[in-house]
PDB file of all heavy atoms in Angstrom:
ATOM      1  N   ALA E   1      73.720-156.765 -91.945  1.00  0.00           N
ATOM      2  CA  ALA E   1      72.829-156.046 -91.040  1.00  0.00           C
ATOM      3  C   ALA E   1      73.421-155.966 -89.646  1.00  0.00           C
ATOM      4  O   ALA E   1      74.075-156.902 -89.170  1.00  0.00           O
ATOM      5  CB  ALA E   1      71.460-156.732 -90.998  1.00  0.00           C
ATOM      6  N   GLY E   2      73.178-154.876 -88.989  1.00  0.00           N
ATOM      7  CA  GLY E   2      73.664-154.690 -87.628  1.00  0.00           C
ATOM      8  C   GLY E   2      72.778-155.411 -86.627  1.00  0.00           C
ATOM      9  O   GLY E   2      71.910-156.204 -86.990  1.00  0.00           O
ATOM     10  N   PRO E   3      72.962-155.122 -85.360  1.00  0.00           N
ATOM     11  CA  PRO E   3      72.173-155.799 -84.329  1.00  0.00           C
ATOM     12  C   PRO E   3      70.692-155.452 -84.441  1.00  0.00           C
ATOM     13  O   PRO E   3      70.326-154.368 -84.880  1.00  0.00           O
ATOM     14  CB  PRO E   3      72.770-155.252 -83.021  1.00  0.00           C
ATOM     15  CG  PRO E   3      73.412-153.956 -83.407  1.00  0.00           C
ATOM     16  CD  PRO E   3      73.911-154.136 -84.799  1.00  0.00           C
ATOM     17  N   ASP E   4      69.840-156.403 -84.060  1.00  0.00           N
ATOM     18  CA  ASP E   4      68.403-156.155 -84.096  1.00  0.00           C
ATOM     19  C   ASP E   4      67.988-155.144 -83.031  1.00  0.00           C
ATOM     20  O   ASP E   4      67.009-154.429 -83.196  1.00  0.00           O
ATOM     21  CB  ASP E   4      67.639-157.465 -83.875  1.00  0.00           C
ATOM     22  CG  ASP E   4      67.790-158.402 -85.062  1.00  0.00           C
ATOM     23  OD1 ASP E   4      67.994-157.900 -86.180  1.00  0.00           O
ATOM     24  OD2 ASP E   4      67.716-159.624 -84.862  1.00  0.00           O
ATOM     25  N   LYS E   5      68.741-155.104 -81.958  1.00  0.00           N
ATOM     26  CA  LYS E   5      68.436-154.173 -80.873  1.00  0.00           C
ATOM     27  C   LYS E   5      69.651-153.285 -80.610  1.00  0.00           C
ATOM     28  O   LYS E   5      70.794-153.699 -80.801  1.00  0.00           O
ATOM     29  CB  LYS E   5      68.073-154.930 -79.596  1.00  0.00           C
ATOM     30  CG  LYS E   5      66.789-155.742 -79.687  1.00  0.00           C
ATOM     31  CD  LYS E   5      66.481-156.417 -78.352  1.00  0.00           C
ATOM     32  CE  LYS E   5      65.181-157.214 -78.436  1.00  0.00           C
ATOM     33  NZ  LYS E   5      64.873-157.881 -77.135  1.00  0.00           N
ATOM     34  N   PHE E   6      69.368-152.086 -80.167  1.00  0.00           N
ATOM     35  CA  PHE E   6      70.441-151.184 -79.789  1.00  0.00           C
ATOM     36  C   PHE E   6      71.248-151.799 -78.650  1.00  0.00           C
ATOM     37  O   PHE E   6      70.685-152.221 -77.633  1.00  0.00           O
ATOM     38  CB  PHE E   6      69.852-149.837 -79.355  1.00  0.00           C
ATOM     39  CG  PHE E   6      70.846-148.903 -78.745  1.00  0.00           C
ATOM     40  CD1 PHE E   6      71.866-148.354 -79.518  1.00  0.00           C
ATOM     41  CD2 PHE E   6      70.787-148.569 -77.403  1.00  0.00           C
ATOM     42  CE1 PHE E   6      72.791-147.487 -78.967  1.00  0.00           C
ATOM     43  CE2 PHE E   6      71.706-147.704 -76.834  1.00  0.00           C
ATOM     44  CZ  PHE E   6      72.709-147.158 -77.625  1.00  0.00           C
ATOM     45  N   PRO E   7      72.574-151.893 -78.803  1.00  0.00           N
ATOM     46  CA  PRO E   7      73.379-152.529 -77.751  1.00  0.00           C
ATOM     47  C   PRO E   7      73.405-151.691 -76.479  1.00  0.00           C
ATOM     48  O   PRO E   7      73.634-150.485 -76.522  1.00  0.00           O
ATOM     49  CB  PRO E   7      74.777-152.607 -78.390  1.00  0.00           C
ATOM     50  CG  PRO E   7      74.793-151.534 -79.427  1.00  0.00           C
ATOM     51  CD  PRO E   7      73.387-151.435 -79.946  1.00  0.00           C
ATOM     52  N   ARG E   8      73.174-152.331 -75.384  1.00  0.00           N
ATOM     53  CA  ARG E   8      73.199-151.620 -74.097  1.00  0.00           C
ATOM     54  C   ARG E   8      74.658-151.477 -73.657  1.00  0.00           C
ATOM     55  O   ARG E   8      75.300-152.446 -73.261  1.00  0.00           O
ATOM     56  CB  ARG E   8      72.383-152.368 -73.046  1.00  0.00           C
ATOM     57  CG  ARG E   8      70.891-152.430 -73.368  1.00  0.00           C
ATOM     58  CD  ARG E   8      70.093-153.089 -72.264  1.00  0.00           C
ATOM     59  NE  ARG E   8      70.202-152.359 -71.003  1.00  0.00           N
ATOM     60  CZ  ARG E   8      69.470-151.292 -70.687  1.00  0.00           C
ATOM     61  NH1 ARG E   8      68.578-150.841 -71.542  1.00  0.00           N
ATOM     62  NH2 ARG E   8      69.618-150.698 -69.524  1.00  0.00           N
ATOM     63  N   ASN E   9      75.164-150.268 -73.737  1.00  0.00           N
ATOM     64  CA  ASN E   9      76.555-149.980 -73.387  1.00  0.00           C
ATOM     65  C   ASN E   9      76.604-148.601 -72.735  1.00  0.00           C
ATOM     66  O   ASN E   9      77.045-147.614 -73.336  1.00  0.00           O
ATOM     67  CB  ASN E   9      77.425-150.027 -74.647  1.00  0.00           C
ATOM     68  CG  ASN E   9      78.913-149.942 -74.321  1.00  0.00           C
ATOM     69  OD1 ASN E   9      79.301-149.653 -73.187  1.00  0.00           O
ATOM     70  ND2 ASN E   9      79.752-150.179 -75.312  1.00  0.00           N
ATOM     71  N   PRO E  10      76.163-148.510 -71.478  1.00  0.00           N
ATOM     72  CA  PRO E  10      76.072-147.195 -70.823  1.00  0.00           C
ATOM     73  C   PRO E  10      77.405-146.461 -70.740  1.00  0.00           C
ATOM     74  O   PRO E  10      77.437-145.228 -70.853  1.00  0.00           O
ATOM     75  CB  PRO E  10      75.546-147.542 -69.420  1.00  0.00           C
ATOM     76  CG  PRO E  10      74.887-148.870 -69.573  1.00  0.00           C
ATOM     77  CD  PRO E  10      75.659-149.597 -70.621  1.00  0.00           C
ATOM     78  N   ASP E  11      78.503-147.184 -70.566  1.00  0.00           N
ATOM     79  CA  ASP E  11      79.795-146.508 -70.466  1.00  0.00           C
ATOM     80  C   ASP E  11      80.135-145.733 -71.734  1.00  0.00           C
ATOM     81  O   ASP E  11      80.819-144.715 -71.687  1.00  0.00           O
ATOM     82  CB  ASP E  11      80.904-147.531 -70.198  1.00  0.00           C
ATOM     83  CG  ASP E  11      80.859-148.081 -68.787  1.00  0.00           C
ATOM     84  OD1 ASP E  11      80.142-147.490 -67.953  1.00  0.00           O
ATOM     85  OD2 ASP E  11      81.521-149.101 -68.520  1.00  0.00           O
ATOM     86  N   LYS E  12      79.630-146.232 -72.881  1.00  0.00           N
ATOM     87  CA  LYS E  12      79.906-145.562 -74.147  1.00  0.00           C
ATOM     88  C   LYS E  12      78.849-144.524 -74.498  1.00  0.00           C
ATOM     89  O   LYS E  12      79.180-143.428 -74.961  1.00  0.00           O
ATOM     90  CB  LYS E  12      79.993-146.602 -75.273  1.00  0.00           C
ATOM     91  CG  LYS E  12      80.260-146.003 -76.643  1.00  0.00           C
ATOM     92  CD  LYS E  12      80.458-147.067 -77.718  1.00  0.00           C
ATOM     93  CE  LYS E  12      80.783-146.419 -79.060  1.00  0.00           C
ATOM     94  NZ  LYS E  12      81.036-147.392 -80.129  1.00  0.00           N
ATOM     95  N   TYR E  13      77.591-144.844 -74.290  1.00  0.00           N
ATOM     96  CA  TYR E  13      76.517-144.024 -74.834  1.00  0.00           C
ATOM     97  C   TYR E  13      75.835-143.105 -73.824  1.00  0.00           C
ATOM     98  O   TYR E  13      75.018-142.271 -74.226  1.00  0.00           O
ATOM     99  CB  TYR E  13      75.487-144.918 -75.512  1.00  0.00           C
ATOM    100  CG  TYR E  13      76.017-145.552 -76.772  1.00  0.00           C
ATOM    101  CD1 TYR E  13      76.192-146.930 -76.883  1.00  0.00           C
ATOM    102  CD2 TYR E  13      76.371-144.771 -77.862  1.00  0.00           C
ATOM    103  CE1 TYR E  13      76.692-147.509 -78.037  1.00  0.00           C
ATOM    104  CE2 TYR E  13      76.881-145.335 -79.019  1.00  0.00           C
ATOM    105  CZ  TYR E  13      77.039-146.705 -79.101  1.00  0.00           C
ATOM    106  OH  TYR E  13      77.542-147.266 -80.246  1.00  0.00           O
ATOM    107  N   VAL E  14      76.129-143.232 -72.547  1.00  0.00           N
ATOM    108  CA  VAL E  14      75.561-142.320 -71.556  1.00  0.00           C
ATOM    109  C   VAL E  14      76.671-141.343 -71.161  1.00  0.00           C
ATOM    110  O   VAL E  14      77.559-141.668 -70.367  1.00  0.00           O
ATOM    111  CB  VAL E  14      75.026-143.081 -70.326  1.00  0.00           C
ATOM    112  CG1 VAL E  14      74.420-142.098 -69.323  1.00  0.00           C
ATOM    113  CG2 VAL E  14      73.992-144.117 -70.756  1.00  0.00           C
ATOM    114  N   VAL E  15      76.601-140.143 -71.724  1.00  0.00           N
ATOM    115  CA  VAL E  15      77.722-139.211 -71.583  1.00  0.00           C
ATOM    116  C   VAL E  15      77.535-138.339 -70.348  1.00  0.00           C
ATOM    117  O   VAL E  15      77.379-137.120 -70.420  1.00  0.00           O
ATOM    118  CB  VAL E  15      77.885-138.362 -72.862  1.00  0.00           C
ATOM    119  CG1 VAL E  15      79.205-137.596 -72.824  1.00  0.00           C
ATOM    120  CG2 VAL E  15      77.853-139.244 -74.105  1.00  0.00           C
ATOM    121  N   VAL E  16      77.546-138.981 -69.189  1.00  0.00           N
ATOM    122  CA  VAL E  16      77.640-138.243 -67.937  1.00  0.00           C
ATOM    123  C   VAL E  16      79.113-137.930 -67.690  1.00  0.00           C
ATOM    124  O   VAL E  16      80.000-138.512 -68.313  1.00  0.00           O
ATOM    125  CB  VAL E  16      77.045-139.066 -66.773  1.00  0.00           C
ATOM    126  CG1 VAL E  16      75.545-139.233 -66.961  1.00  0.00           C
ATOM    127  CG2 VAL E  16      77.732-140.413 -66.653  1.00  0.00           C
ATOM    128  N   PRO E  17      79.428-136.976 -66.826  1.00  0.00           N
ATOM    129  CA  PRO E  17      80.828-136.566 -66.654  1.00  0.00           C
ATOM    130  C   PRO E  17      81.796-137.711 -66.379  1.00  0.00           C
ATOM    131  O   PRO E  17      82.908-137.721 -66.912  1.00  0.00           O
ATOM    132  CB  PRO E  17      80.764-135.580 -65.478  1.00  0.00           C
ATOM    133  CG  PRO E  17      79.397-134.981 -65.582  1.00  0.00           C
ATOM    134  CD  PRO E  17      78.511-136.093 -66.058  1.00  0.00           C
ATOM    135  N   SER E  18      81.393-138.683 -65.576  1.00  0.00           N
ATOM    136  CA  SER E  18      82.318-139.766 -65.240  1.00  0.00           C
ATOM    137  C   SER E  18      82.704-140.573 -66.481  1.00  0.00           C
ATOM    138  O   SER E  18      83.840-141.061 -66.601  1.00  0.00           O
ATOM    139  CB  SER E  18      81.701-140.680 -64.181  1.00  0.00           C
ATOM    140  OG  SER E  18      80.475-141.233 -64.647  1.00  0.00           O
ATOM    141  N   ASN E  19      81.769-140.723 -67.416  1.00  0.00           N
ATOM    142  CA  ASN E  19      82.082-141.419 -68.657  1.00  0.00           C
ATOM    143  C   ASN E  19      82.821-140.514 -69.644  1.00  0.00           C
ATOM    144  O   ASN E  19      83.737-140.950 -70.343  1.00  0.00           O
ATOM    145  CB  ASN E  19      80.796-141.946 -69.315  1.00  0.00           C
ATOM    146  CG  ASN E  19      80.192-143.106 -68.546  1.00  0.00           C
ATOM    147  OD1 ASN E  19      80.886-143.806 -67.823  1.00  0.00           O
ATOM    148  ND2 ASN E  19      78.895-143.311 -68.716  1.00  0.00           N
ATOM    149  N   ALA E  20      82.399-139.259 -69.708  1.00  0.00           N
ATOM    150  CA  ALA E  20      83.004-138.330 -70.658  1.00  0.00           C
ATOM    151  C   ALA E  20      84.487-138.122 -70.365  1.00  0.00           C
ATOM    152  O   ALA E  20      85.292-137.951 -71.291  1.00  0.00           O
ATOM    153  CB  ALA E  20      82.267-136.999 -70.628  1.00  0.00           C
ATOM    154  N   ARG E  21      84.866-138.134 -69.090  1.00  0.00           N
ATOM    155  CA  ARG E  21      86.286-137.961 -68.748  1.00  0.00           C
ATOM    156  C   ARG E  21      87.134-139.083 -69.321  1.00  0.00           C
ATOM    157  O   ARG E  21      88.289-138.885 -69.679  1.00  0.00           O
ATOM    158  CB  ARG E  21      86.451-137.904 -67.227  1.00  0.00           C
ATOM    159  CG  ARG E  21      85.856-136.668 -66.580  1.00  0.00           C
ATOM    160  CD  ARG E  21      86.187-136.563 -65.098  1.00  0.00           C
ATOM    161  NE  ARG E  21      85.340-135.571 -64.456  1.00  0.00           N
ATOM    162  CZ  ARG E  21      84.298-135.850 -63.689  1.00  0.00           C
ATOM    163  NH1 ARG E  21      83.978-137.125 -63.452  1.00  0.00           N
ATOM    164  NH2 ARG E  21      83.578-134.881 -63.159  1.00  0.00           N
ATOM    165  N   LYS E  22      86.545-140.274 -69.412  1.00  0.00           N
ATOM    166  CA  LYS E  22      87.275-141.397 -70.003  1.00  0.00           C
ATOM    167  C   LYS E  22      87.261-141.333 -71.532  1.00  0.00           C
ATOM    168  O   LYS E  22      88.165-141.845 -72.191  1.00  0.00           O
ATOM    169  CB  LYS E  22      86.652-142.721 -69.527  1.00  0.00           C
ATOM    170  CG  LYS E  22      86.857-142.994 -68.051  1.00  0.00           C
ATOM    171  CD  LYS E  22      86.219-144.299 -67.620  1.00  0.00           C
ATOM    172  CE  LYS E  22      84.722-144.190 -67.502  1.00  0.00           C
ATOM    173  NZ  LYS E  22      84.098-145.412 -66.927  1.00  0.00           N
ATOM    174  N   MET E  23      86.239-140.695 -72.104  1.00  0.00           N
ATOM    175  CA  MET E  23      86.112-140.620 -73.555  1.00  0.00           C
ATOM    176  C   MET E  23      87.092-139.627 -74.182  1.00  0.00           C
ATOM    177  O   MET E  23      87.588-139.854 -75.293  1.00  0.00           O
ATOM    178  CB  MET E  23      84.687-140.219 -73.936  1.00  0.00           C
ATOM    179  CG  MET E  23      83.632-141.256 -73.636  1.00  0.00           C
ATOM    180  SD  MET E  23      81.973-140.581 -73.931  1.00  0.00           S
ATOM    181  CE  MET E  23      80.946-142.002 -73.555  1.00  0.00           C
ATOM    182  N   HIS E  24      87.355-138.525 -73.492  1.00  0.00           N
ATOM    183  CA  HIS E  24      88.169-137.471 -74.109  1.00  0.00           C
ATOM    184  C   HIS E  24      89.550-137.970 -74.533  1.00  0.00           C
ATOM    185  O   HIS E  24      89.963-137.727 -75.683  1.00  0.00           O
ATOM    186  CB  HIS E  24      88.280-136.271 -73.178  1.00  0.00           C
ATOM    187  CG  HIS E  24      88.901-135.081 -73.842  1.00  0.00           C
ATOM    188  ND1 HIS E  24      89.245-133.949 -73.147  1.00  0.00           N
ATOM    189  CD2 HIS E  24      89.259-134.838 -75.140  1.00  0.00           C
ATOM    190  CE1 HIS E  24      89.787-133.071 -73.988  1.00  0.00           C
ATOM    191  NE2 HIS E  24      89.804-133.594 -75.193  1.00  0.00           N
ATOM    192  N   PRO E  25      90.302-138.678 -73.688  1.00  0.00           N
ATOM    193  CA  PRO E  25      91.599-139.191 -74.160  1.00  0.00           C
ATOM    194  C   PRO E  25      91.461-140.124 -75.357  1.00  0.00           C
ATOM    195  O   PRO E  25      92.330-140.138 -76.242  1.00  0.00           O
ATOM    196  CB  PRO E  25      92.150-139.938 -72.938  1.00  0.00           C
ATOM    197  CG  PRO E  25      91.439-139.357 -71.766  1.00  0.00           C
ATOM    198  CD  PRO E  25      90.079-139.003 -72.261  1.00  0.00           C
ATOM    199  N   VAL E  26      90.374-140.880 -75.410  1.00  0.00           N
ATOM    200  CA  VAL E  26      90.161-141.796 -76.536  1.00  0.00           C
ATOM    201  C   VAL E  26      90.002-141.010 -77.833  1.00  0.00           C
ATOM    202  O   VAL E  26      90.530-141.391 -78.888  1.00  0.00           O
ATOM    203  CB  VAL E  26      88.920-142.680 -76.277  1.00  0.00           C
ATOM    204  CG1 VAL E  26      88.577-143.503 -77.502  1.00  0.00           C
ATOM    205  CG2 VAL E  26      89.168-143.590 -75.079  1.00  0.00           C
TER     206      VAL E  26
END
């Protein structure tokens, strides 16, 4: 089973431009 609660990871899951720019190369 996975985590009981959704993991709080704004850098990964909040796709504002500042985060998205880091995601594209990944």
Side-chain angles (χ1 to χ4, degrees):
D4 291 332
K5 295 182 179 180
F6 171 68
R8 295 184 61 83
N9 189 349
D11 288 347
K12 179 175 182 178
Y13 291 115
V14 181
V15 191
V16 293
S18 59
N19 289 336
R21 292 187 194 103
K22 292 179 284 187
M23 292 173 178
H24 190 188
V26 173

